[in-house]
Structure formats: C-alpha cells, structure tokens
DNA sequence: GGCTGTGAACCACTTCACAGCC
DNA sequence: GGCTGTGAAGTGGTTCACAGCC
C-alpha cells in the first residue's frame, strides 16, 4: 500500500474510521462497503476503491471484519503513534482548540502553547504551560518539539508564527488565521478558514433564487457591520 | 456567468477578494493575474480561468482595475447583501465563533444563538440573546430566520440540531461537530472538522516524503528535520 | 448468490499555449 | 510588447460494471 493514496481518499479515511468505531461499539463483528458507505454518506464503490489503496482487507462474498479493518485504517493513518501538537495564539479560538477533544484524542497530544500576552504567559490551559512565542523551538528536548503546528493568531502575525514553527521543525501546519501562508514544500499546510466557508455559502445562497438575504444598504446590515450586531428587524 | 462556476473556483474567490482588498488598501489602482496569483499562492492561469467564469473584467495588455474587480467578485459572492447566521451550541468553540470577526464582517450578521444549558440561556454573547434550542424557527419574523446555520454542539446532538435548522429554513449548514450529517439535497452542507485535519496530517507525517511536493525517498525529505512520534501501538 | 477488488469510462478541474486585443 | 481570455490537452478523482472469489 504505502504511498500512492490519493489525497481525497486520505481525507475520507477518518470518516470511515468513525463509522467503524461506531460499528465496533454496537458489537457488529462484520460489515460491508454498502454499510460503511451509508454511514459515511458516500457511495459504496468509493469505499471499496478507497480501501483498496491500503490493501485488500475484505472477504469476497461476506464483507469486512470491523475490528481488523479499523486496525488497518488506524495504521494507515499513522494513529498507532502519538504526534506532538503545538498551538500558537490563545485567544478565544486557540483556547477552544486547546480544550477540545481533537487534541487529547488518541494519536495526538499537546506539547506546547504559545502566545505573547503577558497576562496569560505562565498560566496553564488544558494542563499545559503557556510560554512566550520566542520560546518556540527553544526546547532542546527533541520529544518536546512539535510535529504539527496550529496557527490561531490574528492574521497579521500568522506568517511570522508559521516561519517560527517551520524553523522549529514541524512537518505540518494547520492554519486558522484568515491569511494565505507561505511555507517550504516539505511542510504540509492546511487551512481552516471560517470566512471562506461563509463566503462560499453566500455564493450558493445568492445563486439559488432569492433567499432571506437582507439588502446591503438597509439599516439591518449597517448594524451588522458594527462590532456587536443585533439582528432581526422587519425584513426588506 | 451565473451558476456554472466550478465549486473549486468558488472556494478561491474569497482568497482573491482578500488579495484585492490588500491591493486596494495599498493604493494600487490596477493589477495583473500574475500579482493576484502570487498573493493567493496559485498560478496565474488559474486566476484568469477562475475570473473568466464570472465575466471578463480585465483589459488585455494592461490587467485588471483593482476596485472594479473587487466589486465584481463581491457581487458574484453575494456579498452585496447580509446573510443572517444562527449558531447552535455555545461551548468554547461556539462562543469563540460568535465572537469572531467572521460573522460580524460584511456579508453576515448573527441573528440567533441557541443552546440548552440553563446557566447561559437569557445571557448575551456578542450582543445576541442566547435562547433555547426549542426556539429555533419559532420566531414568526421571516427576517429573523437564519439563512446559514452553524452546528457547534457535541457530536451526539448534531443531527437533531441540523434537522431543526433545516426545518427552520436554512439554506446552508456549517458543521463543526465531528459527525457526518444528513440533510435534504437543497441544503448546502459543509464541514469544518478538526480531527479529520489532524488525521490527514498524521497520515502524511507517518508516510513522510510522500507528501505533496517532495518525492518519496528524496534527500530533502529524508533530511527534512526530525520525526517525533511518541510511543507505538497505543492500543485501541 | 453475494460482495469485494479493479480495469475502464467518465467527469471535474488544472495547466498549457496561444489567439485576441490594448 | 504585454496581458487577458479561452480552446485544447493533461491530470486526478469518481463511477460504472464486471471478473474473481467465498
């Protein structure tokens, strides 16, 4: 198997994994591509083709053994190890991330939290000490150095933070700042961008027969552009 | 133009928009596909092809007028209106979202916040009253009804919340819960899934060298700093 | 008979290369 | 000459349809 797995397939493996965890929990000892597909809301041949990139783990005529398949997917995803993650920027979002299940779940652990705000430096979030951004990569202990860096700073600082994380040796960057970043080619960069998601939705809403959108010039949208918008007035 | 814009193109328009806002702020009155491309980290023909789906806004030989192009992109994205957004689930993540720039920015406004926790019902977050989930869609005022619903609840409640938002008439759902949702075909569903992002990164870390960009086994990728997984076989 | 694994057809998006226009 | 706009070629991913195996 190894390396020729399409990116789109990789992104679906965690979804199959979740379906399998659910099935195992329910006590189902075997399953089918059809069943996984319906849980993952994709079609069955996609499931079969995706799994075939990892190997052939099923039995013709009867399906897949849930536990075994789950193991294989976990192994393919590299979840038989734990990757150290550092979060930079501990505003509302960064703190929410630090406290979220995602990082404490199997496969990952928080190895560092960084910010510049003196009022939180030295405190602990999710049990981890908050250090100054200048200390990124300063720890001589290799095992304390992050494999994954999460950027949750304001947009203006995102590139500099990314540069520091790269210098500290991260292999992957997950960027929550609304900013295009530049990283060397050996670093995998992924974006989670709320404003892009919203704008894509706006596109579809406005190209799908007039929905409940409020014209931009109206009082309501003027209010909406203030820091603390209050919605709901009479509509257009 | 209208509706035949590829989804991949739609997702890049906000990035071009950002680049143009930056250019306008710098006072640049005109620009080129090459310049936009370098700011968006894509290649120039992609920019030209993407823009050509919206119309032909440039001038051969000289480029694009920044202000005019920005206007056209905003119009294509439907940002000449403001869309009402409701957030359901006001834990750490939901609160961070409610307070984030994304929603108060041009094009969107918070029209409702919903939860079930009695200790926050009736309070205000980002200036908006927190109401009980049962009140989703209960408001007879059509303008108060959300066009976009954001699901930020624990996974277990996500499907039920999605159903309620759909019943209340949302056209789009943005799901932050680690759960596959089922919605009717007329509703646009998008996911922001931290654990998928992390697991994709785990895949690339453990298949290092296979990542996009650097061929497997190359000197660069082998030399490219340390892998730091911790522990093996962390039992399922 | 039933379900997996997979070549082949298909489709969406990207990239190329150049015609068209300033 | 320079840069846009766009057919055409190329690429990656999805879906089909069926051979292979239990």
């Amino acid at each position: 198997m190894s390396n020729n797995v399409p990116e789109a397939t990789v992104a679906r493996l965690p979804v199959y994994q979740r379906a399998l965890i659910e099935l195992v929990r329910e006590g189902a000892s075997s399953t089918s591509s059809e069943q996984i597909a319906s849980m993952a809301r994709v079609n069955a041949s996609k499931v079969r083709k995706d799994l075939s990139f990892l190997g052939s783990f099923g039995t013709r005529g009867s399906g897949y053994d849930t536990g075994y398949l789950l193991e294989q997917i976990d192994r393919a995803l590299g979840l038989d190890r734990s990757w150290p993650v550092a979060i930079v920027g501990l505003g509302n979002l960064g703190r929410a991330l630090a406290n979220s299940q995602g990082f404490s779940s199997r496969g990952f652990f928080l190895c560092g939290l960084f910010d510049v705000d003196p009022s939180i430096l030295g405190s602990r979030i999710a049990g981890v000490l908050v250090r100054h951004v200048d200390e990124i990569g300063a720890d001589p202990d290799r095992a304390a150095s992050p494999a994954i860096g999460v950027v949750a700073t304001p947009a203006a600082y995102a590139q500099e933070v990314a540069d520091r994380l790269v210098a500290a040796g991260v292999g992957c960057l997950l960027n929550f700042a609304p900013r295009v970043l530049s990283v060397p080619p050996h670093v995998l960069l992924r974006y989670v961008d709320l404003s892009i998601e919203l704008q894509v939705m706006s596109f579809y809403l406005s190209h799908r027969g007039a929905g409940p959108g409020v014209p931009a010039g109206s009082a309501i949208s003027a209010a909406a552009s203030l820091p603390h918008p209050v919605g709901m007035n009479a509509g257009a």
Side-chain angles (χ1 to χ4, degrees), chain A:
Chain A
M1 66 102 166
S2 203
N3 259 326
N4 301 36
V5 186
E7 178 156 347
T9 293
V10 174
R12 280 187 297 267
L13 293 177
V15 181
Y16 303 155
Q17 188 223 39
R18 251 179 232 165
L20 286 165
I21 289 173
E22 179 69 17
L23 288 168
V24 167
R25 185 177 300 139
E26 289 170 2
S29 68
S30 98
T31 185
S32 67
S33 60
E34 192 59 64
Q35 184 170 32
I36 298 170
S38 90
M39 296 175 80
R41 313 273 161 195
V42 298
N43 73 32
S45 53
K46 196 179 274 182
V47 172
R48 292 200 299 277
K49 171 84 35 135
D50 284 342
L51 295 178
S52 79
F53 287 112
L54 310 182
S56 59
F57 305 131
T59 311
R60 292 170 204 237
S62 66
Y64 302 90
D65 178 275
T66 48
Y68 179 65
L69 183 55
L70 179 52
E71 253 173 51
Q72 297 308 313
I73 289 178
D74 278 354
R75 206 163 48 81
L77 284 171
L79 298 179
D80 46 3
R81 326 167 166 210
S82 266
W83 302 102
V85 179
I87 300 176
V88 185
L90 295 159
N92 291 324
L93 179 62
R95 276 197 302 274
L97 293 173
N99 286 306
S100 78
Q101 279 321 324
F103 294 109
S104 44
S105 64
R106 197 169 49 87
F108 309 92
F109 67 97
L110 274 184
C111 74
L113 295 175
F114 301 95
D115 205 304
V116 293
D117 178 354
S119 74
I120 60 168
L121 294 179
S123 68
R124 284 179 183 272
I125 295 178
V128 179
L129 187 67
V130 179
R131 285 176 289 164
H132 194 275
V133 160
D134 289 340
E135 288 187 57
I136 295 172
D139 198 320
D141 176 2
R142 270 165 133 245
S145 140
I148 295 173
V150 177
V151 179
T153 62
Y157 306 107
Q159 182 63 56
E160 185 186 339
V161 162
D163 292 344
R164 292 193 191 208
L165 286 166
V166 168
V170 298
C172 300
L173 271 182
L174 183 54
N175 179 33
F176 286 84
R179 183 102 181 186
V180 176
L181 297 183
S182 168
V183 296
H186 65 87
V187 174
L188 175 68
L189 172 59
R190 292 179 67 96
Y191 292 88
V192 173
D193 194 315
L194 177 62
S195 68
I196 289 181
E197 294 300 324
L198 288 175
Q199 291 187 27
V200 168
M201 291 186 164
S202 172
F203 178 92
Y204 282 108
L205 289 169
S206 54
H207 290 259
R208 195 188 274 180
V214 178
S218 74
I220 201 171
S221 72
S225 63
L226 297 173
H228 298 299
V230 180
M232 67 206 80
N233 291 350

